[in-house]
Every structure is written in structure tokens, then in C-alpha cells.
Amino acid sequence: MKKDLSRVFDFIFVGAGISGPFIANDLCKKGCDCLMLEAGKLFTRKTYPSNGLDGTSQLYWSGGMELGHDCKLAFLRPKVVGGGSIVNQALVDRFDDAAFNSWKDASGVDFFNVNDMEHWYDQAESEIVIQEIPAEFRNKNAEIFDQGFKNMKYQNAPLRRAQSNCYLEEGNCCIECLNGCKLGSKQSTPETVLKEALENDLTLVPEIEVTRIIEKDGDIKVIGKDAKGGTATYRAKNLVLAAGAIGNARLLLNSGFNKKVTHIGHDFYCHPQFMSFGLYDEKINSHKGAFQAFKSDDKGFRENGYKLENVYAGPEGLALLVPGFGIPHHRHMEKLAHFACIEVCTRDTNPGQIKVNRKGKALIRKVQNAEDLSRKAKGTKVIEEIFSSTGAKQIIHGQFGIGLHLMGCCPIGTDSNKSVIDPEFRLHGFKNIFCADSSIFPNAPGINPSLTIMALSKKAAHSILRSL
Ligand SMILES: Cc1cc2nc3c(=O)[nH]c(=O)nc-3n(C[C@H](O)[C@H](O)[C@H](O)COP(=O)(O)OP(=O)(O)OC[C@H]3O[C@@H](n4cnc5c(N)ncnc54)[C@H](O)[C@@H]3O)c2cc1C
């Protein structure tokens, strides 16, 4: 890392999650002088937290989870160099016509169609390794998912994961990689594009939380706070916002940009996800081996606005979801090895909003309307059918929903009154402030977002370089 941070950089990036490193790598390759500021810590394969509790407290904002105003949904927001690519399940899917058509309708942006995006998906996929879990390594939880789909005549498909080699034959359990992959198999940005960007002279400074952005006559000043509360100012000709949906909204609101761009903080979506557990007589050991192998691939589910996933979580997460207190809760937890798990992920229709309080803290307002609740109910009914058809003795529903796919708040669009980012990935009215991360999503696609964030970031890098 270069020491001199007082120079005027070509670009400052706020956030080293997925989008930031994807854009920075392409700009650095072309010789741009880039500085990347990230609030979270930099870990290596050897230093990732070794258990779920440490992982939750060290890799996320607010020590693990943030709650919406009515406490009905919990939001997981990564805070670590690599962002979501460190903690996520690394499932990568391209969007379909249904997702892009609704984006085009909402935004007026023409390139939202499968054909125009194909090139950018190809470019994104060329930066990472993608694999399916070989059939011989599917665990018992995956087998129940598959068997239940067959019993009920629903369509499923193998998951595509961004991973290179998990050496499953050696008994590795992929659930550990939710705290950072110690094998370097998961294709997180520190293992892929961020590594390359650093080789191409990117300056990365972890543990700096950007608190304010000042734009004056085309010059950018960024104020950052370090872990001890000290502040520093960094300067650049251009800025790339890559702090995610809540991060970008919070920063832009705290910096007063909403006086000019009034839509900042609106159109927040999160694909609310609800886990249910089937309790079986025999041990399922859902945490063992490749803990996820299948997804739903049923036209009817897609039309009804939900999908099902073969998932699991660490005991610290499950303990929060399993209902009850004291002895009844303890009795359930004792049987964890007998749990199978399926999650319904809804394509939410009711936009939420991010605001900030007087201390600059993000306030999350996200209500599930009748349509969203009905999508959840339909998916949950299918889960019950699957568990019942495969011999579950009891079905337990998690007690609250989780938002993992945080999207929107700075939606892209042609109309500056209804959007925040223009089709050239610029903040409306600002020539030198760019954004292409999850915050630009115009609505919820109902499909895993990260591959599309990578594809849009490749497109944005191309667009930025062309404009320079
Ligand atoms: C547990 C979990 C599982 C998931 N599984 C999947 C999956 O299987 N497939 C999929 O497609 N998606 C998945 N996701 C979602 C996916 O990871 C996110 O959509 C994606 O990471 C968003 O990318 P991003 O670049 O927009 O932001 P992020 O990856 O969130 O990166 C933003 C970064 O900006 C930093 N930041 C924020 N504010 C500031 C500030 N003020 N100053 C400095 N830095 C700041 C943050 O600390 C963070 O590191 C999952 C998410 C979670 C939490």
C-alpha cells in the first residue's frame, strides 16, 4: 500500500465490497490512480474469525444485525474488506426477462434486457470461477430438498456457486466460509479482482468509515473517520460510491446531497427470507459438507414472486430463529443435528426507505404489504408440503424474516425526480460521482443479486473510462 494519501487521486472509492473492486480493477489497469476506503477490517485466509459469534460481530455493521423500525425484519449488512463477497453464500445467477423487463419499466433504462446485458455477464464471469456442487457431495439436507421437489412434482436445479475448489473429499464444511473462506476457494473480491487491482497499484485503506462527501466545482473531498475516532480528508477528481444500498444512502443523506437529488433513500428492497425447519427422526447434519446444492427452478414459483433455497446457518443464527424461550427453546436446539432447512425468499413489491437520524445513523423503514406476505405464505406452504412428503415429524418456522439482499435507495433511471443515478452511472447532476452497486437496483429482481452487481460494475467501468 502506498503511504502518501495527501495527493489528489483520480478516483476515490467508498466501500471495498463487490462493486468497488470490480470497477477499481478495470480503472487501475488503465493507469488511473485510485484510493479505496473501507470501514471494515482486512482479513486474510488465516485470520478470518473461527466461529459464528466472532464472525457475526466482526464482519457486520452494528455487531451483527440491524432491525427495521417495526422489528419485523432483521438486516445483515457486511462490514469487511470484500463486503458481501466474504460472508455470502456465493450463489451466482443471471437475471431473466421478468427481472429486466420490470427494471426497464421502472427506470426507463434501455440496456436492461437479456441481450444487452449478456456481454457484461460474460465479462463478470470471466473474473471468477463458477461451479456446481458435484452430485456425490450433496448432503442429506440437499437430498431432502431434491426428493421433496420430486415428490411434489416441482422443478428444481443445481446451484451455481462462485468457488474454485472446496476439497470436499477432505471433509470440509462450506458453512464455515460464511465467516470468510479459509481455503481461498470462495471467489470473494480479495481473492479475485481486488487482489488484481492491488497488483495494479490500487491504494486500499481499511478501517476508515467515510462520514461526509463534499463536492465543489468538480473537486471531491472525502472525510473519513478511523477506528480510534481520528479524522482525515482525502481528495480526488472523481468519486465512486460503492458502500451498498444502506451505506450509500446514509452517506449521501448525511452529506446533504438530497437537497439536489431528492429521491436518495427511497425504493429500498431486500428479498425478505424466511427459514423453516423440518425435524426428522434420523440425523440430517445439515451443516456438514457442501451445505447448499439446489434451488427452486419452478415457473409457478417465479410467477408467484418467490423462490426456495436449500440453506442452513450456524447455531448462533438458528438460536435466534427457533421460537420459544428457556427449556422449550433448549429442547429444539438440542435436536439441531436432526433439522433440515428450506428458506422462502420473496420478491418484495413494497419499497422501503432509509433515512438518517440527528446522529447520522441509518433508520430502516421496510414494511411487507399484503402482496409480500401472500408471497411468503405461498412459499411456506410449499416448504410444508416438501417436509411432510419426506417424513418430517415436526415443522418449525423461523420467528422473523431476514434481509440479506439489500438493494435500491439510489435507483438508476432516466427521470431525476424518480431516480438517483443516471443511465451513465452518474449521480444525477454530478459529472464526477459514479455508482453501480446494489443501491442502483430499481426494484427487487427476485434473483440473487451479486452476479448482476459484478456485470453492472464492469459496464460502469467501461462507461467511466469512455467518458474520461
Ligand atoms: C449472509 C449473506 C448471504 C448472501 N448470499 C448471497 C448469495 O448467495 N448470492 C448473491 O447474489 N448475493 C448474496 N448476498 C447478497 C450480496 O452479498 C450483496 O448483494 C452484495 O455483497 C452487495 O454488493 P455491494 O458491492 O453493493 O455492497 P457490499 O458487498 O455490501 O459492500 C459495501 C462495502 O461498503 C462498506 N461501507 C459502507 N459504508 C461505508 C462508509 N461510510 N465508509 C467506508 N466503507 C463503507 C461496507 O463496509 C462494505 O464492505 C448475501 C448477503 C449476505 C449478508
Side-chain angles (χ1 to χ4, degrees), residues 6-202:
S6 62
R7 65 188 185 274
V8 179
F9 287 86
D10 291 329
F11 287 85
I12 290 179
F13 286 74
V14 185
I18 292 184
S19 176
F22 263 84
I23 300 177
N25 189 26
D26 285 356
L27 300 191
C28 288
K29 273 189 211 156
K30 293 287 178 193
C32 299
D33 186 17
C34 298
L35 169 68
M36 185 170 282
L37 302 171
E38 164 59 51
K41 286 187 187 160
L42 173 65
F43 290 87
T44 66
R45 290 180 197 179
K46 286 190 179 146
T47 61
Y48 285 124
S50 57
N51 64 67
L53 272 185
D54 289 343
T56 306
S57 60
Q58 293 180 28
L59 303 175
Y60 287 95
W61 286 83
S62 307
M65 47 173 73
E66 294 165 306
L67 292 172
H69 72 291
D70 58 1
C71 298
K72 290 201 173 148
L73 290 173
F75 303 91
L76 300 192
R77 185 156 67 104
K79 182 183 181 184
V80 52
V81 171
S85 73
I86 300 296
V87 296
N88 72 14
Q89 278 110 318
L91 311 179
V92 281
D93 285 309
R94 293 187 180 203
F95 285 5
D96 58 9
D97 283 327
F100 281 132
N101 289 343
S102 77
W103 274 22
K104 194 171 174 180
D105 290 347
S107 67
V109 176
D110 284 336
F111 60 74
F112 285 140
N113 62 74
V114 170
N115 283 344
D116 284 358
M117 285 300 294
E118 189 181 2
H119 171 74
W120 302 109
Y121 278 124
D122 290 345
Q123 293 277 307
E125 289 185 358
S126 72
E127 304 280 10
I128 54 176
V129 181
I130 300 178
Q131 296 178 338
E132 283 175 13
I133 306 295
E136 66 267 32
F137 293 121
R138 290 172 188 158
N139 74 5
K140 186 103 179 95
N141 190 32
E143 281 170 18
I144 287 175
F145 187 92
D146 189 36
Q147 190 55 52
F149 269 69
K150 287 195 176 104
N151 294 347
M152 303 311 301
K153 304 205 174 359
Y154 294 128
Q155 205 60 44
N156 70 11
L159 288 170
R160 294 192 335 140
R161 273 198 102 217
Q163 61 177 45
S164 59
N165 193 344
C166 300
Y167 299 98
L168 292 165
E169 65 283 4
E170 293 177 13
N172 292 318
C173 298
C174 291
I175 201 158
E176 287 184 20
C177 82
L178 295 180
N179 299 320
C181 175
K182 294 188 174 59
L183 300 172
S185 170
K186 184 151 81 170
Q187 300 290 282
S188 62
T189 49
E191 293 289 343
T192 56
V193 284
L194 180 58
K195 193 167 157 191
E196 213 179 310
L198 290 168
E199 285 160 12
N200 284 307
D201 282 341
L202 169 71

